[in-house]
Amino acid sequence: MNDTPSSTLTLEPLWALFLFVFLSCSSPETQGIDTNIPSQDAPYLMVLGVAQDAGYPQAGSRQEFKLIEEGLRAKQYAVSLCLVDPQHNKRYLFEATPDFREQLEIADKVSKPTQYPFDGIFLTHAHIGHYTGLMHLGREVMGTRTIPVYAMPKMTAFLQENGPWSQLISLENIALKPLSDSTTISLSNSISVMPFTVPHRDEYSETVGYQIKVSRKSLVFIPDIDKWNRWDVDIREVVKAHDYILIDASFYKDGELEGRDMSLIPHPFTTESMELFKNLSDVDKAKVYFIHANHTNPILDVNSREYKEVVQAGFHVAKQGQIFRF
């Protein structure tokens, strides 16, 4: 990442930013939302989903549906984040997932945009869990007007050249906003977003992560990437240089997908990332939040041995409804 800060940002006391606001209602879709919403003017980021593209339970996984029906597991939406700027009544979506409908409802319970449903949508790449939620903006559903959609060049071309996404453009449901590698976009005088390319299987578009900066604090979001050694950046240095790191944890370890060659799906295993980070300081380990877990990854189950291993090693598993304060 070309403009990664050269020194680690210092975490500041956050108690002065808090205002305890409790949600007026709770439903299965909103259970787990952090009710300690920050003060009226403080920007924050809410996690709207933590699962891999297909969510949890995954289609056809009857046993997973049964566990939810029995109250033994919780439904998890595909990975998505909502960046909220209360001072300017703006909010921004990162990843338009197949669970867009439910995730919009979560966002509506805690924030208001100037341009409904979002003042901007940032996409990472053209795999199903990361852009197909745009369908809800079209004439068959919301019929929105010129919602800004931020995308890299190949992602932009993919949307322009393929239906039904091209119809969103021709009917002006969305307005494409170009992004460039390692080039910062300013959303306000204190909020900026920078995409950076990462290696991934790019059949239809390039793949990016995002650096989100609010004042002097920063968060890095990498939901999809190939093995860390395929990237020309040392992820350990990225951890040291930022305040929060949300990274790909699609699979816990090799052999997780029975009967499949997992070398053909070269995400970094959660165990590999923990091993790579084992010599980081406790402070730096605590910055790491694993996200984008496949339905087979046991860290989605807070009662699993693997979840406890992650926590005991000093890391975190991102939670649906979790809030990151800046």
Side-chain angles (χ1 to χ4, degrees), residues 83-304:
L83 175 62
V84 181
D85 179 4
Q87 183 178 8
H88 300 101
N89 283 332
K90 291 183 181 294
R91 68 185 184 199
Y92 303 90
L93 184 70
F94 288 79
E95 309 290 43
T97 83
D99 300 312
F100 180 94
R101 176 178 58 190
E102 292 83 0
Q103 290 168 329
L104 175 58
E105 174 66 8
I106 295 173
D108 282 346
K109 288 184 179 295
V110 298
S111 62
K112 294 181 180 179
T114 297
Q115 186 174 5
Y116 195 80
F118 294 97
D119 296 287
I121 299 174
F122 289 84
L123 305 178
T124 60
H125 65 300
H127 285 161
I128 65 165
H130 302 265
Y131 78 96
T132 55
L134 294 176
M135 64 186 177
H136 291 281
L137 305 181
R139 72 194 321 175
E140 299 90 345
V141 190
M142 298 182 73
T144 59
R145 183 72 177 169
T146 62
I147 299 300
V149 173
Y150 294 85
M152 293 287 285
K154 291 181 181 179
M155 184 76 224
T156 295
F158 176 82
L159 296 173
Q160 290 172 328
E161 296 169 5
N162 294 278
W165 323 111
S166 56
Q167 182 172 274
L168 296 175
I169 300 166
S170 63
L171 295 181
E172 298 185 336
N173 300 125
I174 65 174
L176 293 177
K177 303 293 182 181
L179 293 175
S180 298
D181 185 21
S182 300
T183 300
T184 298
I185 300 290
S186 294
L187 301 180
S188 75
N189 58 359
S190 63
I191 302 175
S192 65
V193 173
M194 186 190 74
F196 52 90
T197 56
V198 297
H200 192 42
R201 42 185 190 87
D202 297 334
E203 303 97 330
Y204 305 114
S205 77
E206 62 278 271
T207 302
V208 298
Y210 285 103
Q211 178 195 69
I212 302 169
K213 297 186 73 173
V214 179
S215 299
R216 291 181 293 131
K217 296 185 182 296
S218 58
L219 178 148
V220 167
F221 176 51
I222 309 175
D224 260 305
I225 193 170
D226 289 344
K227 299 295 187 185
W228 295 120
N229 60 13
R230 297 190 182 186
W231 195 22
D232 59 1
V233 172
D234 188 338
I235 184 60
R236 292 167 295 190
E237 295 304 313
V238 177
V239 173
K240 294 175 184 177
H242 297 83
D243 296 291
Y244 307 110
I245 314 292
L246 279 62
I247 58 170
D248 184 349
S250 295
F251 306 106
Y252 192 72
K253 63 181 180 180
D254 196 11
E256 189 172 310
L257 297 180
E258 186 176 351
R260 295 182 65 178
D261 181 357
M262 295 188 68
S263 68
L264 302 177
I265 319 171
H267 296 268
F269 301 131
T270 310
T271 52
E272 290 176 332
S273 296
M274 290 195 294
E275 177 66 19
L276 184 63
F277 298 155
K278 69 179 181 181
N279 292 325
L280 291 177
S281 69
D282 291 344
V283 170
D284 286 332
K285 287 179 181 177
K287 299 175 183 179
V288 176
Y289 291 77
F290 291 109
I291 201 166
H292 193 268
N294 192 57
H295 71 119
T296 57
N297 191 330
I299 66 172
L300 284 176
D301 180 3
V302 297
N303 296 311
S304 70

